[in-house]
PDB file of all heavy atoms in Angstrom:
ATOM      1  N   GLN A 167     -13.317   9.296   4.372  1.00  0.00           N
ATOM      2  CA  GLN A 167     -13.194  10.733   4.619  1.00  0.00           C
ATOM      3  C   GLN A 167     -11.867  11.056   5.295  1.00  0.00           C
ATOM      4  O   GLN A 167     -11.182  12.017   4.924  1.00  0.00           O
ATOM      5  CB  GLN A 167     -14.362  11.199   5.495  1.00  0.00           C
ATOM      6  CG  GLN A 167     -14.366  12.698   5.772  1.00  0.00           C
ATOM      7  CD  GLN A 167     -15.548  13.118   6.622  1.00  0.00           C
ATOM      8  OE1 GLN A 167     -16.289  12.272   7.132  1.00  0.00           O
ATOM      9  NE2 GLN A 167     -15.726  14.412   6.785  1.00  0.00           N
ATOM     10  N   ARG A 168     -11.479  10.239   6.283  1.00  0.00           N
ATOM     11  CA  ARG A 168     -10.223  10.479   6.997  1.00  0.00           C
ATOM     12  C   ARG A 168      -9.024  10.253   6.078  1.00  0.00           C
ATOM     13  O   ARG A 168      -8.082  11.050   6.070  1.00  0.00           O
ATOM     14  CB  ARG A 168     -10.139   9.552   8.208  1.00  0.00           C
ATOM     15  CG  ARG A 168      -8.855   9.726   9.027  1.00  0.00           C
ATOM     16  CD  ARG A 168      -8.901  10.973   9.855  1.00  0.00           C
ATOM     17  NE  ARG A 168      -9.882  10.861  10.924  1.00  0.00           N
ATOM     18  CZ  ARG A 168     -10.343  11.888  11.615  1.00  0.00           C
ATOM     19  NH1 ARG A 168      -9.941  13.108  11.308  1.00  0.00           N
ATOM     20  NH2 ARG A 168     -11.242  11.716  12.582  1.00  0.00           N
ATOM     21  N   VAL A 169      -9.062   9.184   5.305  1.00  0.00           N
ATOM     22  CA  VAL A 169      -7.933   8.861   4.428  1.00  0.00           C
ATOM     23  C   VAL A 169      -7.729   9.942   3.375  1.00  0.00           C
ATOM     24  O   VAL A 169      -6.599  10.378   3.117  1.00  0.00           O
ATOM     25  CB  VAL A 169      -8.159   7.485   3.752  1.00  0.00           C
ATOM     26  CG1 VAL A 169      -7.148   7.267   2.625  1.00  0.00           C
ATOM     27  CG2 VAL A 169      -8.041   6.372   4.773  1.00  0.00           C
ATOM     28  N   ILE A 170      -8.797  10.371   2.743  1.00  0.00           N
ATOM     29  CA  ILE A 170      -8.695  11.387   1.688  1.00  0.00           C
ATOM     30  C   ILE A 170      -8.171  12.699   2.255  1.00  0.00           C
ATOM     31  O   ILE A 170      -7.329  13.365   1.641  1.00  0.00           O
ATOM     32  CB  ILE A 170     -10.064  11.573   1.006  1.00  0.00           C
ATOM     33  CG1 ILE A 170     -10.435  10.301   0.231  1.00  0.00           C
ATOM     34  CG2 ILE A 170     -10.035  12.778   0.069  1.00  0.00           C
ATOM     35  CD1 ILE A 170     -11.849  10.293  -0.289  1.00  0.00           C
ATOM     36  N   THR A 171      -8.631  13.059   3.439  1.00  0.00           N
ATOM     37  CA  THR A 171      -8.153  14.294   4.072  1.00  0.00           C
ATOM     38  C   THR A 171      -6.677  14.223   4.367  1.00  0.00           C
ATOM     39  O   THR A 171      -5.923  15.178   4.134  1.00  0.00           O
ATOM     40  CB  THR A 171      -8.936  14.561   5.376  1.00  0.00           C
ATOM     41  OG1 THR A 171     -10.319  14.702   5.077  1.00  0.00           O
ATOM     42  CG2 THR A 171      -8.433  15.825   6.050  1.00  0.00           C
ATOM     43  N   GLU A 172      -6.224  13.074   4.874  1.00  0.00           N
ATOM     44  CA  GLU A 172      -4.820  12.936   5.270  1.00  0.00           C
ATOM     45  C   GLU A 172      -3.881  12.672   4.100  1.00  0.00           C
ATOM     46  O   GLU A 172      -2.669  12.836   4.240  1.00  0.00           O
ATOM     47  CB  GLU A 172      -4.685  11.796   6.294  1.00  0.00           C
ATOM     48  CG  GLU A 172      -5.359  12.062   7.618  1.00  0.00           C
ATOM     49  CD  GLU A 172      -4.780  13.265   8.343  1.00  0.00           C
ATOM     50  OE1 GLU A 172      -3.550  13.444   8.294  1.00  0.00           O
ATOM     51  OE2 GLU A 172      -5.558  14.021   8.943  1.00  0.00           O
ATOM     52  N   SER A 173      -4.420  12.250   2.956  1.00  0.00           N
ATOM     53  CA  SER A 173      -3.545  11.930   1.823  1.00  0.00           C
ATOM     54  C   SER A 173      -2.869  13.176   1.251  1.00  0.00           C
ATOM     55  O   SER A 173      -1.777  13.094   0.694  1.00  0.00           O
ATOM     56  CB  SER A 173      -4.331  11.220   0.721  1.00  0.00           C
ATOM     57  OG  SER A 173      -5.310  12.082   0.170  1.00  0.00           O
ATOM     58  N   ARG A 174      -3.521  14.321   1.343  1.00  0.00           N
ATOM     59  CA  ARG A 174      -2.941  15.604   0.934  1.00  0.00           C
ATOM     60  C   ARG A 174      -2.336  15.556  -0.477  1.00  0.00           C
ATOM     61  O   ARG A 174      -1.206  15.972  -0.713  1.00  0.00           O
ATOM     62  CB  ARG A 174      -1.890  16.066   1.932  1.00  0.00           C
ATOM     63  CG  ARG A 174      -2.456  16.363   3.313  1.00  0.00           C
ATOM     64  CD  ARG A 174      -1.379  16.900   4.236  1.00  0.00           C
ATOM     65  NE  ARG A 174      -1.952  17.300   5.515  1.00  0.00           N
ATOM     66  CZ  ARG A 174      -2.069  16.479   6.565  1.00  0.00           C
ATOM     67  NH1 ARG A 174      -1.665  15.225   6.471  1.00  0.00           N
ATOM     68  NH2 ARG A 174      -2.595  16.907   7.701  1.00  0.00           N
ATOM     69  N   GLY A 175      -3.090  14.982  -1.392  1.00  0.00           N
ATOM     70  CA  GLY A 175      -2.655  14.961  -2.776  1.00  0.00           C
ATOM     71  C   GLY A 175      -1.727  13.815  -3.147  1.00  0.00           C
ATOM     72  O   GLY A 175      -1.368  13.675  -4.329  1.00  0.00           O
ATOM     73  N   ARG A 176      -1.336  12.995  -2.190  1.00  0.00           N
ATOM     74  CA  ARG A 176      -0.502  11.840  -2.513  1.00  0.00           C
ATOM     75  C   ARG A 176      -1.332  10.757  -3.196  1.00  0.00           C
ATOM     76  O   ARG A 176      -2.551  10.795  -3.161  1.00  0.00           O
ATOM     77  CB  ARG A 176       0.172  11.305  -1.242  1.00  0.00           C
ATOM     78  CG  ARG A 176       1.264  12.221  -0.703  1.00  0.00           C
ATOM     79  CD  ARG A 176       1.711  11.793   0.675  1.00  0.00           C
ATOM     80  NE  ARG A 176       0.695  12.080   1.677  1.00  0.00           N
ATOM     81  CZ  ARG A 176       0.809  11.762   2.973  1.00  0.00           C
ATOM     82  NH1 ARG A 176       1.880  11.111   3.393  1.00  0.00           N
ATOM     83  NH2 ARG A 176      -0.142  12.059   3.816  1.00  0.00           N
ATOM     84  N   ARG A 177      -0.676   9.776  -3.789  1.00  0.00           N
ATOM     85  CA  ARG A 177      -1.378   8.788  -4.600  1.00  0.00           C
ATOM     86  C   ARG A 177      -2.325   7.942  -3.744  1.00  0.00           C
ATOM     87  O   ARG A 177      -1.976   7.480  -2.659  1.00  0.00           O
ATOM     88  CB  ARG A 177      -0.381   7.871  -5.311  1.00  0.00           C
ATOM     89  CG  ARG A 177       0.595   8.596  -6.212  1.00  0.00           C
ATOM     90  CD  ARG A 177       1.310   7.625  -7.116  1.00  0.00           C
ATOM     91  NE  ARG A 177       0.500   7.313  -8.287  1.00  0.00           N
ATOM     92  CZ  ARG A 177       0.690   6.240  -9.071  1.00  0.00           C
ATOM     93  NH1 ARG A 177       1.644   5.378  -8.780  1.00  0.00           N
ATOM     94  NH2 ARG A 177      -0.059   6.036 -10.124  1.00  0.00           N
ATOM     95  N   LEU A 178      -3.528   7.748  -4.285  1.00  0.00           N
ATOM     96  CA  LEU A 178      -4.573   7.041  -3.563  1.00  0.00           C
ATOM     97  C   LEU A 178      -5.439   6.285  -4.557  1.00  0.00           C
ATOM     98  O   LEU A 178      -5.735   6.797  -5.645  1.00  0.00           O
ATOM     99  CB  LEU A 178      -5.418   8.050  -2.774  1.00  0.00           C
ATOM    100  CG  LEU A 178      -6.642   7.536  -1.996  1.00  0.00           C
ATOM    101  CD1 LEU A 178      -6.204   6.601  -0.885  1.00  0.00           C
ATOM    102  CD2 LEU A 178      -7.425   8.711  -1.421  1.00  0.00           C
ATOM    103  N   SER A 179      -5.829   5.078  -4.202  1.00  0.00           N
ATOM    104  CA  SER A 179      -6.714   4.291  -5.062  1.00  0.00           C
ATOM    105  C   SER A 179      -7.740   3.555  -4.214  1.00  0.00           C
ATOM    106  O   SER A 179      -7.529   3.293  -3.028  1.00  0.00           O
ATOM    107  CB  SER A 179      -5.918   3.279  -5.905  1.00  0.00           C
ATOM    108  OG  SER A 179      -5.347   2.277  -5.077  1.00  0.00           O
ATOM    109  N   LEU A 180      -8.863   3.236  -4.839  1.00  0.00           N
ATOM    110  CA  LEU A 180      -9.911   2.432  -4.211  1.00  0.00           C
ATOM    111  C   LEU A 180      -9.741   0.991  -4.670  1.00  0.00           C
ATOM    112  O   LEU A 180      -9.707   0.721  -5.874  1.00  0.00           O
ATOM    113  CB  LEU A 180     -11.291   2.961  -4.608  1.00  0.00           C
ATOM    114  CG  LEU A 180     -12.500   2.119  -4.191  1.00  0.00           C
ATOM    115  CD1 LEU A 180     -12.607   2.031  -2.670  1.00  0.00           C
ATOM    116  CD2 LEU A 180     -13.786   2.685  -4.792  1.00  0.00           C
ATOM    117  N   VAL A 181      -9.625   0.066  -3.713  1.00  0.00           N
ATOM    118  CA  VAL A 181      -9.406  -1.347  -4.043  1.00  0.00           C
ATOM    119  C   VAL A 181     -10.540  -2.172  -3.454  1.00  0.00           C
ATOM    120  O   VAL A 181     -10.733  -2.214  -2.230  1.00  0.00           O
ATOM    121  CB  VAL A 181      -8.053  -1.846  -3.493  1.00  0.00           C
ATOM    122  CG1 VAL A 181      -7.859  -3.327  -3.841  1.00  0.00           C
ATOM    123  CG2 VAL A 181      -6.899  -1.013  -4.038  1.00  0.00           C
ATOM    124  N   TRP A 182     -11.310  -2.818  -4.334  1.00  0.00           N
ATOM    125  CA  TRP A 182     -12.375  -3.720  -3.909  1.00  0.00           C
ATOM    126  C   TRP A 182     -11.764  -5.101  -3.690  1.00  0.00           C
ATOM    127  O   TRP A 182     -11.216  -5.702  -4.617  1.00  0.00           O
ATOM    128  CB  TRP A 182     -13.457  -3.819  -4.969  1.00  0.00           C
ATOM    129  CG  TRP A 182     -14.157  -2.545  -5.306  1.00  0.00           C
ATOM    130  CD1 TRP A 182     -13.762  -1.600  -6.202  1.00  0.00           C
ATOM    131  CD2 TRP A 182     -15.392  -2.073  -4.757  1.00  0.00           C
ATOM    132  NE1 TRP A 182     -14.659  -0.570  -6.253  1.00  0.00           N
ATOM    133  CE2 TRP A 182     -15.677  -0.829  -5.381  1.00  0.00           C
ATOM    134  CE3 TRP A 182     -16.292  -2.579  -3.814  1.00  0.00           C
ATOM    135  CZ2 TRP A 182     -16.822  -0.091  -5.073  1.00  0.00           C
ATOM    136  CZ3 TRP A 182     -17.425  -1.845  -3.514  1.00  0.00           C
ATOM    137  CH2 TRP A 182     -17.685  -0.620  -4.147  1.00  0.00           C
ATOM    138  N   THR A 183     -11.852  -5.624  -2.473  1.00  0.00           N
ATOM    139  CA  THR A 183     -11.366  -6.973  -2.202  1.00  0.00           C
ATOM    140  C   THR A 183     -12.524  -7.973  -2.229  1.00  0.00           C
ATOM    141  O   THR A 183     -13.694  -7.589  -2.153  1.00  0.00           O
ATOM    142  CB  THR A 183     -10.672  -7.044  -0.837  1.00  0.00           C
ATOM    143  OG1 THR A 183     -11.580  -6.609   0.192  1.00  0.00           O
ATOM    144  CG2 THR A 183      -9.438  -6.153  -0.813  1.00  0.00           C
ATOM    145  N   LYS A 184     -12.167  -9.265  -2.363  1.00  0.00           N
ATOM    146  CA  LYS A 184     -13.150 -10.353  -2.401  1.00  0.00           C
ATOM    147  C   LYS A 184     -14.152 -10.122  -3.529  1.00  0.00           C
ATOM    148  O   LYS A 184     -15.382 -10.163  -3.332  1.00  0.00           O
ATOM    149  CB  LYS A 184     -13.856 -10.485  -1.048  1.00  0.00           C
ATOM    150  CG  LYS A 184     -12.868 -10.588   0.125  1.00  0.00           C
ATOM    151  CD  LYS A 184     -13.548 -10.517   1.463  1.00  0.00           C
ATOM    152  CE  LYS A 184     -12.536 -10.407   2.580  1.00  0.00           C
ATOM    153  NZ  LYS A 184     -13.159 -10.247   3.914  1.00  0.00           N
ATOM    154  N   SER A 185     -13.621  -9.874  -4.709  1.00  0.00           N
ATOM    155  CA  SER A 185     -14.469  -9.518  -5.844  1.00  0.00           C
ATOM    156  C   SER A 185     -15.331 -10.677  -6.318  1.00  0.00           C
ATOM    157  O   SER A 185     -16.165 -10.495  -7.206  1.00  0.00           O
ATOM    158  CB  SER A 185     -13.601  -9.011  -7.001  1.00  0.00           C
ATOM    159  OG  SER A 185     -12.659  -9.998  -7.401  1.00  0.00           O
ATOM    160  N   ASP A 186     -15.141 -11.873  -5.747  1.00  0.00           N
ATOM    161  CA  ASP A 186     -16.017 -12.993  -6.087  1.00  0.00           C
ATOM    162  C   ASP A 186     -17.379 -12.860  -5.417  1.00  0.00           C
ATOM    163  O   ASP A 186     -18.311 -13.622  -5.736  1.00  0.00           O
ATOM    164  CB  ASP A 186     -15.363 -14.310  -5.651  1.00  0.00           C
ATOM    165  CG  ASP A 186     -14.937 -14.283  -4.182  1.00  0.00           C
ATOM    166  OD1 ASP A 186     -14.039 -13.481  -3.857  1.00  0.00           O
ATOM    167  OD2 ASP A 186     -15.502 -15.040  -3.376  1.00  0.00           O
TER     168      ASP A 186
END
Side-chain angles (χ1 to χ4, degrees):
Q167 182 179 8
R168 180 75 69 196
V169 168
I170 293 171
T171 300
E172 294 298 322
S173 65
R174 296 184 175 90
R176 289 169 288 178
R177 302 194 83 199
L178 176 65
S179 68
L180 172 63
V181 180
W182 299 86
T183 57
K184 308 172 189 176
S185 59
D186 52 295

